[in-house]
């Protein structure tokens, strides 16, 4: 088989979730596709990945490059990917082009997926807004690719993210199938 998949469905509050885990023949990653029909109000949705061993460092993709960040649990912006080193020198990489924020400690990664705040609401503004619109409501799809290995590099994760974001430039749809070899059928 070229691909195997596991599908799951569930809910969080009033929101519906559909997840598909995929593995591909000869590919070094596990793919996770999460579809969310987000119906919440003033809530936050995060994907949490607990780590089996303690992380020792974290390097996030940022616009124009990468940046090492502390494992202090503070949320920071993210572009496409993160690379985490564990205490046994294994590296874990996550490519996630639809995720724009992440917080991490030595024991877990938390990817911020959706924020259903009232639009344009900020401190110190605390009045109720009778016709306030809620951000991030509706259907969303998130793609993750999880990698592991001792020699995993950020540049390889950047390449994977680019492949997910760019449509094919050229496809030859006219060549047809190769000729069948006559084997006495």
């Amino acid at each position: 088989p070229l691909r195997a998949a596991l599908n799951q469905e569930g809910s969080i509050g009033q929101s519906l979730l559909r997840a598909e885990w995929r593995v591909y023949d000869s590919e070094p990653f596990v793919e996770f596709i999460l579809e969310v029909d987000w119906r919440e109000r003033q809530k936050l949705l995060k994907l949490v990945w607990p780590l089996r061993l303690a992380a020792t460092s974290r390097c996030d993709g940022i616009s124009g490059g990468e940046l090492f960040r502390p494992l202090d649990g503070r949320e920071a912006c993210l572009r496409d990917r993160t690379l985490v080193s564990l205490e046994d020198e294994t590296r874990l990489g996550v490519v996630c082009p639809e995720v724009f924020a992440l917080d991490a400690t030595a024991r877990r990664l938390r990817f911020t997926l959706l924020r259903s705040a009232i639009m344009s609401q900020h401190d110190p503004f605390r009045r109720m807004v009778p016709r306030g619109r809620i951000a991030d409501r509706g259907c969303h799809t998130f793609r993750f690719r999880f990698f592991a290995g001792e020699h995993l590099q950020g540049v390889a994760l950047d390449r994977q993210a680019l492949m997910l974001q760019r449509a094919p430039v050229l496809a030859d749809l006219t060549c047809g199938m190769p000729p069948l070899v006559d084997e006495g059928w």
Side-chain angles (χ1 to χ4, degrees):
L2 299 176
R3 180 181 81 183
L6 170 69
N7 293 296
Q8 299 173 298
E9 291 186 2
S11 63
I12 294 178
Q14 299 298 312
S15 301
L16 304 175
L17 301 142
R18 193 159 106 200
E20 184 173 3
W21 293 91
R22 297 176 178 174
V23 291
Y24 298 89
D25 184 42
S26 303
E27 291 293 345
F29 57 82
V30 173
E31 188 171 57
F32 175 60
I33 298 172
L34 179 64
E35 295 175 0
V36 180
D37 183 359
W38 191 241
R39 302 172 183 176
E40 304 307 310
R41 180 182 176 92
Q42 293 185 304
K43 293 192 179 171
L44 186 68
L45 180 64
K46 292 193 178 213
L47 177 72
V48 180
W49 185 13
L51 302 172
R52 66 177 179 82
L53 296 173
T56 58
S57 69
R58 161 186 163 201
C59 184
D60 293 341
I62 61 167
S63 294
E66 62 184 17
L67 182 63
F68 282 90
R69 292 193 165 130
L71 297 163
D72 60 5
R74 296 176 74 180
E75 187 175 81
C77 59
L78 180 72
R79 183 202 42 88
D80 297 335
R81 57 97 174 166
T82 190
L83 180 62
V84 176
S85 296
L86 301 179
E87 60 189 4
D88 69 351
E89 298 184 20
T90 301
R91 291 181 174 195
L92 303 176
V94 182
V95 173
C96 48
E98 293 86 18
V99 176
F100 301 101
L102 166 69
D103 65 85
T105 67
R107 287 295 179 178
R108 56 116 179 102
L109 305 177
R110 292 192 324 166
F111 299 89
T112 303
L113 304 182
L114 298 168
R115 300 173 191 273
S116 58
I118 297 174
M119 289 192 201
S120 301
Q121 183 180 11
H122 58 86
D123 275 343
F125 185 84
R126 296 190 189 277
R127 292 191 317 255
M128 281 302 297
V129 181
R131 289 181 294 279
R133 298 194 57 140
I134 305 296
D136 285 348
R137 278 197 169 165
C139 296
H140 303 270
T141 301
F142 300 94
R143 296 169 296 170
F144 293 84
R145 286 189 175 172
F146 298 98
F147 296 81
E150 289 181 17
H151 304 292
L152 192 58
Q153 298 291 320
V155 68
L157 299 176
D158 287 335
R159 233 176 300 142
Q160 284 284 328
L162 192 58
M163 286 191 298
L164 288 172
Q165 294 171 9
R166 280 194 180 161
V169 177
L170 174 68
D172 184 359
L173 303 175
T174 61
C175 69
M177 298 290 289
L180 294 175
V181 178
D182 184 13
E183 297 182 13
W185 295 68

